[in-house]
Amino acid sequence: MMSSYLAMPRRGHLEQVLHIFAYLKKYHNAELVFDPSVPAIDETAFLAQDWASSEFGHLDSKEEVPPNMPKPRGAGFLIWAKVVADRATDTVTRKSRTGFLVWLNISLVYFMIKKKASVETSSFGAEFCAMRQCCDYLCGLRYKLCMMGIEILDPCYVEGNNQSVLANTNNPGSTLKKKTQSISYHFVSEGVARKEWMTDTHDNYADLLTKMLPAGDKRRRFVMGLLHHIFRTAPAS
């Protein structure tokens, strides 16, 4: 968030940067662990729909794979992600921020936070564009892993915050009039129909990327979900 003010920083921005370095100094023992274990995903929370009667019926729930894809070898990976967008929290421009986290099995391999170029007037539009950006990255990641001969075990499991977005992406009969939202809907829904990814809502660690969460149990739980040993107390000497 502070990178938005590199061109014209003010004294208040410097004070916030000092707070960031003080936080890093206090919690310097955090670890980012790459765990190859397969996560326990509650597949019943991700509802599968019948897309046969929709405009995606011809896809027949089949993902497009590269024709020259090598034969998969070794153990496969499960991809899951958490995506979120805040709406108009930038008090200067009222632009939204998009953030998402991507895991391979239980290893965090990618995160992204980006300010949108335009202002979204509704949280629905901001969250839908964020979902499209996340699925766009997942599409490229799936292609890359396939071309490396790595098997993708299941569809990507994507968790978001906005119930309206999740309901629309899983609804074959949904229609949207706004062009940008309609494009995002068709892109995400086409991936759902191909079983490239599935969407649901849950505790969203990506809130750390776009929201100023106050200190408390929720923020502590989210940070501990990403970094190991960050709040570990030093052993008594």
Side-chain angles (χ1 to χ4, degrees):
M1 294 182 182
M2 300 307 301
S3 61
S4 302
Y5 305 99
L6 287 176
M8 298 180 62
R10 297 291 186 268
R11 180 174 179 176
H13 301 139
L14 175 61
E15 292 175 353
Q16 294 304 316
V17 171
L18 294 177
H19 280 297
I20 293 174
F21 277 95
Y23 182 88
L24 295 175
K25 181 179 179 180
K26 181 177 180 180
Y27 299 110
H28 63 277
N29 59 343
E31 299 174 359
L32 183 62
V33 177
F34 288 87
D35 189 346
S37 304
V38 178
I41 301 292
D42 184 12
E43 297 183 7
T44 59
F46 297 84
L47 301 178
Q49 302 289 344
D50 182 12
W51 296 84
S53 59
S54 70
E55 63 268 30
F56 304 115
H58 65 284
L59 300 178
D60 196 25
S61 300
K62 293 182 180 179
E63 178 184 3
E64 287 186 344
V65 295
N68 57 341
M69 181 182 70
K71 183 179 179 180
R73 296 178 180 272
F77 282 93
L78 186 67
I79 304 176
W80 56 292
K82 293 178 181 288
V83 58
V84 72
D86 69 336
R87 182 177 70 90
T89 54
D90 189 327
T91 56
V92 178
T93 63
R94 288 304 178 185
K95 293 180 180 179
S96 303
R97 286 187 178 89
T98 295
F100 61 85
L101 304 160
V102 180
W103 285 263
L104 288 180
N105 286 352
I106 312 183
S107 301
L108 179 65
V109 296
Y110 186 80
F111 70 92
M112 192 275 285
I113 175 172
K114 183 179 180 181
K115 183 187 290 187
K116 288 185 61 62
S118 59
V119 178
E120 287 289 345
T121 57
S122 67
S123 58
F124 177 79
E127 295 276 0
F128 224 139
C129 291
M131 180 69 72
R132 192 264 307 163
Q133 289 181 344
C134 179
C135 291
D136 195 14
Y137 175 80
L138 294 177
C139 185
L141 179 61
R142 290 178 69 92
Y143 179 87
K144 183 184 297 184
L145 293 177
C146 287
M147 295 304 293
M148 294 172 64
I150 300 175
E151 182 182 5
I152 308 300
L153 298 178
D154 287 310
C156 302
Y157 295 98
V158 184
E159 298 177 359
N161 278 351
N162 194 291
Q163 288 284 0
S164 298
V165 170
L166 300 173
N168 275 272
T169 55
N170 287 287
N171 182 8
S174 177
T175 58
L176 295 172
K177 294 183 179 180
K178 191 173 180 180
K179 187 175 182 179
T180 55
Q181 296 177 7
S182 180
I183 293 173
S184 299
Y185 161 75
H186 281 85
F187 179 81
V188 176
S189 296
E190 183 175 349
V192 174
R194 292 185 189 275
K195 295 192 181 303
E196 294 182 22
W197 47 71
M198 303 180 72
T199 58
D200 184 41
T201 182
H202 203 265
D203 279 350
N204 204 329
Y205 301 156
D207 281 339
L208 293 168
L209 303 179
T210 61
K211 297 178 175 64
M212 301 297 294
L213 296 179
D217 292 339
K218 180 178 180 180
R219 186 177 186 275
R220 185 185 182 92
R221 186 175 73 253
F222 283 7
V223 174
M224 291 179 67
L226 299 178
L227 301 175
H228 293 253
H229 304 146
I230 186 169
F231 298 119
R232 178 180 57 187
T233 56
S237 56

